[in-house]
Amino acid sequence: MGRVIVDVTLKSEILDPQGQAVLRALQSQGLKQVADVRQGKTFEITFEGAINKEVLDQVEALASEVLSNPVIENFVIRSYEKES
Amino acid sequence: MTIRIGVVTFPGSLDDQDALRAVSYAGAQAISLWHKDTDLNKVDVVILPGGFSYGDYLRCGAIAKLAPVMTEIITKANQGLPVLGICNGFQVLCESGLLPGVLTRNKGLHFTCRDEKLEVVNNSTLWTKDFETNEKIVIPIKNGEGCYQADKKTLDQLVGNNQIVFKYLDNPNGSLLDIAGITNEKGNVVGLMPHPEHAIDELTGPTNHGLRLFTSVIKNLVGISK
């Protein structure tokens, strides 16, 4: 079994009101030093069998076309083999 | 000649029935299209209605853009087919790349439902010929993710090409440049967050201003537009 993780984060110039609300929640709980919070998403994609370059290339294409919107988001792909 | 206007229903569409009714009310033949359709049933015009297609999962409109019906709509829209995206439909158009930019969570995080004052900025699109430039109109909004964002280059292009169609007079959601609706460069594709299909008769809406989007496209197709 192989797993690919796609982390999608908002570009720095994009307004993130959800992150701002979380920031205020953290500060209200005593975490006064917090300067900023940006909220993103993570996709954990599990494959049958090992991950080869072809799969990774497909994931990369779909991360840019489907999992993220390049107008507002960046993504990073991580992959690792998992004990089945 | 009767104009055939198709309204697409995705899983989670809410305002498809009101859009179909607005089309009939404006004098065209209303045709229901289904998200799995691969053929547009000879329609002259397509409307992507409001709602929460696919539950707004992933991003608003992101899964709808992959629906089978969108393949033909994207191809035909690039060839000049008139397309209107309302609210979630606007989000689908942005995700599909038919319109630039993206709609994100409202600045104040509130779902906003109210009658909205708008200014008509561009009355040269297929959908706005029945308005006057700088005309003030009132059409309801109801959305949680209506904050229009794009990079500076895109915003400059929108202004330079006169692609901003409607602006908020009292910006409800943080949209950049007070953008409520935009068009593509050709002027055949328009997307807006307010709901013109909810403002076609003063009996059931705040005004009848929204009806003019539908009459604009119909008049244009039958060749009697100004």
Side-chain angles (χ1 to χ4, degrees):
Chain A
M1 303 271 280
R3 181 182 275 186
V4 175
I5 295 180
V6 182
D7 290 315
V8 177
T9 53
L10 273 179
K11 288 183 176 175
S12 58
E13 68 271 23
I14 298 298
L15 180 73
D16 180 16
Q18 292 180 100
Q20 295 289 308
V22 174
L23 165 80
R24 288 192 292 273
L26 295 180
Q27 286 174 332
S28 78
Q29 295 306 298
L31 194 62
K32 302 293 183 198
Q33 308 91 324
V34 60
D36 194 18
V37 176
R38 309 283 290 169
Q39 185 174 327
K41 12 177 134 84
T42 296
F43 301 88
E44 297 180 349
I45 309 170
T46 307
F47 291 87
E48 293 174 8
I51 297 165
N52 55 33
K53 181 166 185 315
E54 187 189 354
V55 168
L56 272 180
D57 287 349
Q58 279 182 294
V59 169
E60 172 138 22
L62 290 172
S64 123
E65 291 163 18
V66 178
L67 298 181
S68 74
N69 182 333
V71 176
I72 51 170
E73 292 164 330
N74 296 316
F75 66 87
V76 175
I77 295 175
R78 295 177 277 149
S79 69
Y80 52 89
E81 299 301 315
K82 195 174 80 175
E83 298 296 322
S84 55
Chain B
M1 176 183 168
T2 308
I3 304 296
R4 292 164 63 85
I5 301 185
V7 177
V8 179
T9 300
F10 297 100
S13 291
L14 293 179
D15 301 316
D16 43 342
Q17 294 305 314
D18 274 22
L20 287 162
R21 181 169 178 273
V23 164
S24 303
Y25 205 81
Q29 187 180 354
I31 311 285
S32 287
L33 297 174
W34 182 237
H35 67 113
K36 286 186 175 169
D37 289 347
T38 51
D39 174 276
L40 298 184
N41 195 7
K42 300 189 185 104
V43 298
D44 305 297
V45 176
V46 166
I47 294 174
L48 304 179
F52 298 86
S53 59
Y54 304 90
D56 275 353
Y57 296 161
L58 191 57
R59 297 176 306 279
C60 302
I63 298 181
K65 80 172 172 186
L66 306 174
V69 74
M70 288 305 297
T71 305
E72 190 72 358
I73 290 174
I74 291 169
T75 303
K76 292 267 179 69
N78 282 322
Q79 294 166 355
L81 177 80
V83 177
L84 180 69
I86 303 166
C87 196
N88 187 224
F90 184 13
Q91 295 163 339
V92 175
L93 290 176
C94 287
E95 281 285 343
S96 307
L98 286 172
L99 292 175
V102 64
L103 284 311
T104 60
R105 189 63 61 97
N106 290 345
K107 190 175 180 184
L109 286 171
H110 289 289
F111 187 98
T112 311
C113 182
R114 70 185 198 190
D115 297 335
E116 197 65 49
K117 291 195 193 93
L118 308 172
E119 178 181 338
V120 180
V121 180
N122 176 346
N123 75 339
S124 66
T125 78
L126 291 184
W127 294 93
T128 52
K129 288 174 188 284
D130 271 354
F131 294 98
E132 300 298 329
T133 307
N134 302 327
E135 186 178 348
K136 310 289 187 289
I137 61 174
V138 174
I139 291 180
I141 58 161
K142 46 169 196 170
N143 64 66
E145 308 211 10
C147 176
Y148 184 83
Q149 298 199 62
D151 60 20
K152 180 160 189 322
K153 183 173 159 230
T154 304
L155 293 173
D156 288 345
Q157 282 174 347
L158 288 175
V159 172
N161 298 334
N162 197 23
Q163 284 176 255
I164 299 172
V165 180
F166 298 106
K167 274 191 175 186
Y168 298 113
L169 291 174
D170 180 15
N171 191 337
N173 52 30
S175 286
L176 297 177
L177 304 182
D178 299 325
I179 285 174
I182 58 172
T183 182
N184 62 347
E185 285 191 50
K186 279 186 188 164
N188 62 306
V189 178
V190 167
L192 76 167
M193 288 313 294
H195 287 263
E197 80 282 17
H198 295 334
I200 60 168
D201 188 320
E202 288 175 2
L203 181 68
T204 53
T207 65
N208 60 8
H209 298 155
L211 187 63
R212 281 189 270 160
L213 279 100
F214 305 96
T215 55
S216 290
V217 77
I218 292 168
K219 282 185 195 171
N220 197 73
L221 287 171
V222 298
I224 55 170
S225 67
K226 60 187 175 187

Short mmCIF file of all heavy atoms in Angstrom, two decimals, chain B residues 2 9 40 70 72 77 93 131 156 184 198 222:
data_model
loop_
_atom_site.label_atom_id
_atom_site.label_comp_id
_atom_site.label_asym_id
_atom_site.label_seq_id
_atom_site.Cartn_x
_atom_site.Cartn_y
_atom_site.Cartn_z
N THR B 2 -38.76 30.86 -31.23
CA THR B 2 -38.74 30.73 -29.77
C THR B 2 -37.33 30.35 -29.32
O THR B 2 -36.76 29.38 -29.82
CB THR B 2 -39.72 29.63 -29.30
OG1 THR B 2 -40.99 29.90 -29.86
CG2 THR B 2 -39.82 29.61 -27.79
N THR B 9 -29.38 21.37 -13.85
CA THR B 9 -29.57 20.94 -12.46
C THR B 9 -28.42 20.01 -12.07
O THR B 9 -28.21 18.97 -12.70
CB THR B 9 -30.90 20.21 -12.28
OG1 THR B 9 -31.97 21.10 -12.63
CG2 THR B 9 -31.09 19.75 -10.84
N LEU B 40 -26.63 19.14 -25.25
CA LEU B 40 -27.33 20.30 -24.69
C LEU B 40 -28.75 20.48 -25.26
O LEU B 40 -29.38 21.53 -25.05
CB LEU B 40 -26.51 21.58 -24.91
CG LEU B 40 -25.12 21.60 -24.24
CD1 LEU B 40 -24.45 22.94 -24.44
CD2 LEU B 40 -25.23 21.28 -22.75
N MET B 70 -20.77 19.80 -18.36
CA MET B 70 -19.90 20.98 -18.45
C MET B 70 -18.93 20.90 -19.63
O MET B 70 -18.49 21.93 -20.14
CB MET B 70 -19.12 21.17 -17.14
CG MET B 70 -19.95 21.66 -15.97
SD MET B 70 -20.85 23.20 -16.33
CE MET B 70 -19.50 24.35 -16.62
N GLU B 72 -19.45 20.05 -22.74
CA GLU B 72 -20.07 20.68 -23.90
C GLU B 72 -20.30 22.17 -23.65
O GLU B 72 -20.12 23.01 -24.55
CB GLU B 72 -21.41 19.98 -24.19
CG GLU B 72 -22.04 20.36 -25.51
CD GLU B 72 -21.32 19.78 -26.72
OE1 GLU B 72 -20.30 19.12 -26.53
OE2 GLU B 72 -21.78 20.04 -27.84
N ALA B 77 -19.35 27.60 -24.94
CA ALA B 77 -19.20 28.95 -24.39
C ALA B 77 -18.00 29.64 -25.02
O ALA B 77 -18.03 30.84 -25.32
CB ALA B 77 -19.06 28.90 -22.88
N LEU B 93 -18.51 28.78 -13.04
CA LEU B 93 -17.85 29.42 -14.19
C LEU B 93 -16.41 29.80 -13.87
O LEU B 93 -15.51 29.65 -14.71
CB LEU B 93 -18.64 30.66 -14.64
CG LEU B 93 -20.00 30.40 -15.28
CD1 LEU B 93 -20.71 31.72 -15.58
CD2 LEU B 93 -19.86 29.57 -16.55
N PHE B 131 -30.26 47.14 -19.67
CA PHE B 131 -29.96 48.08 -18.57
C PHE B 131 -29.27 49.31 -19.14
O PHE B 131 -28.75 49.29 -20.26
CB PHE B 131 -29.02 47.44 -17.54
CG PHE B 131 -29.61 46.28 -16.80
CD1 PHE B 131 -29.33 44.98 -17.18
CD2 PHE B 131 -30.43 46.49 -15.70
CE1 PHE B 131 -29.87 43.90 -16.50
CE2 PHE B 131 -30.97 45.41 -15.00
CZ PHE B 131 -30.70 44.12 -15.40
N ASP B 156 -6.72 44.27 -13.01
CA ASP B 156 -6.41 45.34 -13.98
C ASP B 156 -7.03 45.03 -15.34
O ASP B 156 -7.54 45.92 -16.02
CB ASP B 156 -4.89 45.50 -14.12
CG ASP B 156 -4.26 46.14 -12.89
OD1 ASP B 156 -5.01 46.71 -12.08
OD2 ASP B 156 -3.03 46.06 -12.74
N ASN B 184 -16.82 37.58 -19.54
CA ASN B 184 -15.60 37.25 -20.27
C ASN B 184 -15.35 38.35 -21.30
O ASN B 184 -16.16 39.27 -21.47
CB ASN B 184 -15.69 35.86 -20.91
CG ASN B 184 -16.79 35.75 -21.95
OD1 ASN B 184 -17.65 36.63 -22.04
ND2 ASN B 184 -16.79 34.69 -22.71
N HIS B 198 -34.75 35.81 -8.70
CA HIS B 198 -35.61 36.09 -7.55
C HIS B 198 -36.17 37.52 -7.60
O HIS B 198 -36.81 37.97 -6.65
CB HIS B 198 -34.83 35.93 -6.24
CG HIS B 198 -34.38 34.52 -5.96
ND1 HIS B 198 -35.03 33.41 -6.46
CD2 HIS B 198 -33.35 34.06 -5.23
CE1 HIS B 198 -34.40 32.32 -6.05
NE2 HIS B 198 -33.38 32.68 -5.32
N VAL B 222 -33.09 37.17 -30.86
CA VAL B 222 -34.09 37.34 -31.91
C VAL B 222 -33.80 38.58 -32.75
O VAL B 222 -34.53 38.91 -33.66
CB VAL B 222 -35.54 37.37 -31.36
CG1 VAL B 222 -35.87 36.07 -30.68
CG2 VAL B 222 -35.75 38.54 -30.44
#
